[in-house]
C-alpha cells in the first residue's frame, strides 16, 4: 500500500486485526520486508504496521538531508495520516534512534504504550586513538585528492580510493542518504535516555559489532523502566539470528500467552 505525506510516496502495510496497534521502525538501509518475522510474532493479537522511511525501501527519498529529528517529525505525520492515536513502538538500529527522539519528548500527539529497542543505535561511541588518527588521515587525503592537478594525474586511482571509504552502509547509499547517515552517526542521543518514561524492552545480540552489547547495557542503566534481554550468538540482526528465542521474548513481553 502507498500513501502520500508532504509530497513523498510512502510504502507501508498492515497485518493482523487486533484492536491495539504495534508499529515497526526499520534499521538503516533495510526495507520493511526484513521485519516480517517480527510482525509475525504479534499479528495473532495486534494490528502491526510496517513502513519504509523516506529514502528506504520503496519510499521516496528526502529532497534534503534529514537528521533523526526530521524522521521523528515525519513519523508523527505518518501516524496522523493513518489515524493512529495509541501504539507500541518497535525499533531496530536506526529505528531505535527515531523512537528515542520521540519518547524523550515532554509531549506527543499520540500515546506510546510500550517500546522495544532491538540492537538500537543512538549512543555515540568513544573513538580510540587509532580511529582518531585514521579520521585525520582520511580528511587530509580527501583535501589532497580534491585538488584538480592531483586528480588529473591519476583519476582512476583516486576514484577507486573514494569508492572504498566509509562503512558499507555509507558506500551503498545515494549521495542524499549519505548526508542523512552522517548526521545520524554523529549525533549522541545518550542525554535523552533518562527522559524515556515508557516501559522499554531492550533486545540485543551479544555478537553485535555495529551497536555493541555495551550500548544495550548503558541504555538499560539510563532508561528508567528498561530491561535487557541478550540473545546468545546473535549479531546486529538478532531477531533473524535467533528467531525462536526472539519470538518467545516478544510473546512474553506482549502477553501473547
Amino acid at each position: 500500500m502507498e500513501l502520500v505525506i508532504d509530497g513523498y510516496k510512502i510504502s507501508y502495510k498492515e497485518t493482523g486485526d487486533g484492536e491495539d496497534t504495534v508499529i515497526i521502525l526499520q534499521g538503516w538501509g533495510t526495507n520493511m520486508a526484513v521485519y516480517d518475522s517480527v510482525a509475525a510474532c504479534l499479528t495473532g493479537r495486534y494490528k502491526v504496521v510496517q513502513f519504509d522511511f523516506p529514502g528506504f525501501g520503496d519510499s521516496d527519498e528526502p529532497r534534503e538531508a534529514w537528521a533523526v529529528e526530521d524522521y521523528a517529525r515525519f513519523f508523527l505525520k505518518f501516524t496522523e495520516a493513518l489515524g493512529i492515536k495509541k501504539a507500541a513502538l518497535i525499533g531496530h538500529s536506526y529505528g531505535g534512534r527515531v523512537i528515542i527522539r520521540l519518547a524523550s519528548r515532554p509531549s506527543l500527539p499520540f500515546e506510546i504504550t510500550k517500546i522495544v529497542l532491538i540492537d538500537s543505535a543512538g549512543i555515540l561511541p568513544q573513538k580510540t586513538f587509532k580511529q582518531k588518527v585514521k579520521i585525520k588521515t582520511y580528511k587530509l587525503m580527501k583535501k589532497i585528492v580534491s585538488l584538480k592537478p592531483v586528480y588529473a594525474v591519476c583519476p582512476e586511482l583516486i576514484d577507486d580510493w573514494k569508492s572504498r571509504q566509509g562503512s558499507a552502509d555509507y558506500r551503498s547509499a545515494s549521495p542524499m542518504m549519505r548526508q542523512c547517515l552522517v548526521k545520524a552517526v554523529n549525533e549522541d542521543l545518550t542525554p535523552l535516555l533518562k527522559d524515556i518514561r515508557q516501559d522499554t524492552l531492550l533486545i540485543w545480540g551479544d555478537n553485535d559489532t555495529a551497536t555493541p552489547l555495551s550500548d544495550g547495557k548503558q541504555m538499560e542503566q539510563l532508561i528508567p523502566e528498561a530491561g535487557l534481554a541478550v540473545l546468545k550468538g546473535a549479531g546486529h540482526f538478532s531477531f533473524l539470528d535467533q528467531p525462536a528465542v526472539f519470538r518467545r521474548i516478544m510473546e512474553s513481553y506482549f502477553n501473547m500467552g
Side-chain angles (χ1 to χ4, degrees), residues 99-164:
I99 291 176
I100 292 168
R101 271 277 174 197
L102 290 165
S104 62
R105 290 186 177 196
S107 64
L108 284 171
F110 80 106
E111 179 186 352
I112 301 174
T113 56
K114 59 173 60 178
I115 294 169
V116 180
L117 299 178
I118 307 167
D119 301 292
S120 178
I123 293 178
L124 190 67
Q126 296 295 316
K127 292 181 175 63
T128 64
F129 176 75
K130 184 177 180 181
Q131 288 172 322
K132 290 178 181 177
V133 171
K134 186 177 180 180
I135 291 169
K136 286 185 177 180
T137 303
Y138 166 74
K139 288 181 177 178
L140 177 61
M141 286 294 295
K142 187 178 179 182
K143 285 183 179 179
I144 293 172
V145 300
S146 297
L147 297 172
K148 288 183 179 179
V150 175
Y151 185 81
V153 173
C154 46
E156 294 86 358
L157 286 175
I158 290 173
D159 288 340
D160 178 66
W161 177 82
K162 286 181 177 178
S163 70
R164 290 183 284 105

Side-chain angles (χ1 to χ4, degrees), residues 204-208 230-238 240-242:
W204 235 271
D206 65 346
N207 291 335
D208 189 341
V230 180
L231 302 190
K232 300 291 184 182
H236 189 55
F237 288 77
S238 57
L240 296 179
D241 294 337
Q242 293 288 357

Side-chain angles (χ1 to χ4, degrees), residues 3-181:
L3 75 162
V4 178
I5 299 174
D6 290 346
Y8 294 108
K9 286 190 296 183
I10 303 300
S11 181
Y12 78 103
K13 64 181 176 181
E14 298 177 354
T15 51
D17 54 4
E19 291 185 5
D20 296 325
T21 301
V22 176
I23 309 175
I24 300 174
L25 288 76
Q26 71 204 118
W28 184 269
T30 64
N31 64 70
M32 61 182 170
V34 171
Y35 303 93
D36 285 351
S37 63
V38 178
C41 296
L42 304 171
T43 51
R45 183 172 172 180
Y46 293 87
K47 180 176 76 174
V48 182
V49 178
Q50 296 164 254
F51 70 100
D52 286 327
F53 278 126
F56 296 21
D58 293 325
S59 292
D60 288 345
E61 190 173 277
R63 292 180 284 272
E64 57 187 5
W66 281 14
V68 178
E69 178 62 25
D70 297 306
Y71 277 99
R73 284 196 289 266
F74 157 80
F75 180 77
L76 294 178
K77 293 180 180 180
F78 176 76
T79 56
E80 181 182 10
L82 292 182
I84 296 172
K85 303 295 184 183
K86 180 171 69 172
L89 303 185
I90 299 172
H92 171 240
S93 193
Y94 186 84
R97 287 185 188 272
V98 178
I99 291 176
I100 292 168
R101 271 277 174 197
L102 290 165
S104 62
R105 290 186 177 196
S107 64
L108 284 171
F110 80 106
E111 179 186 352
I112 301 174
T113 56
K114 59 173 60 178
I115 294 169
V116 180
L117 299 178
I118 307 167
D119 301 292
S120 178
I123 293 178
L124 190 67
Q126 296 295 316
K127 292 181 175 63
T128 64
F129 176 75
K130 184 177 180 181
Q131 288 172 322
K132 290 178 181 177
V133 171
K134 186 177 180 180
I135 291 169
K136 286 185 177 180
T137 303
Y138 166 74
K139 288 181 177 178
L140 177 61
M141 286 294 295
K142 187 178 179 182
K143 285 183 179 179
I144 293 172
V145 300
S146 297
L147 297 172
K148 288 183 179 179
V150 175
Y151 185 81
V153 173
C154 46
E156 294 86 358
L157 286 175
I158 290 173
D159 288 340
D160 178 66
W161 177 82
K162 286 181 177 178
S163 70
R164 290 183 284 105
Q165 303 309 305
S167 66
D169 282 339
Y170 182 83
R171 293 194 301 271
S172 63
S174 70
M176 181 61 73
M177 295 309 293
R178 285 180 178 182
Q179 294 180 60
C180 297
L181 180 59

Side-chain angles (χ1 to χ4, degrees), residues 195-211:
D195 298 322
I196 296 176
R197 300 167 298 283
Q198 295 83 359
D199 189 83
T200 302
L201 171 63
L202 306 165
I203 303 178
W204 235 271
D206 65 346
N207 291 335
D208 189 341
T209 56
T211 53

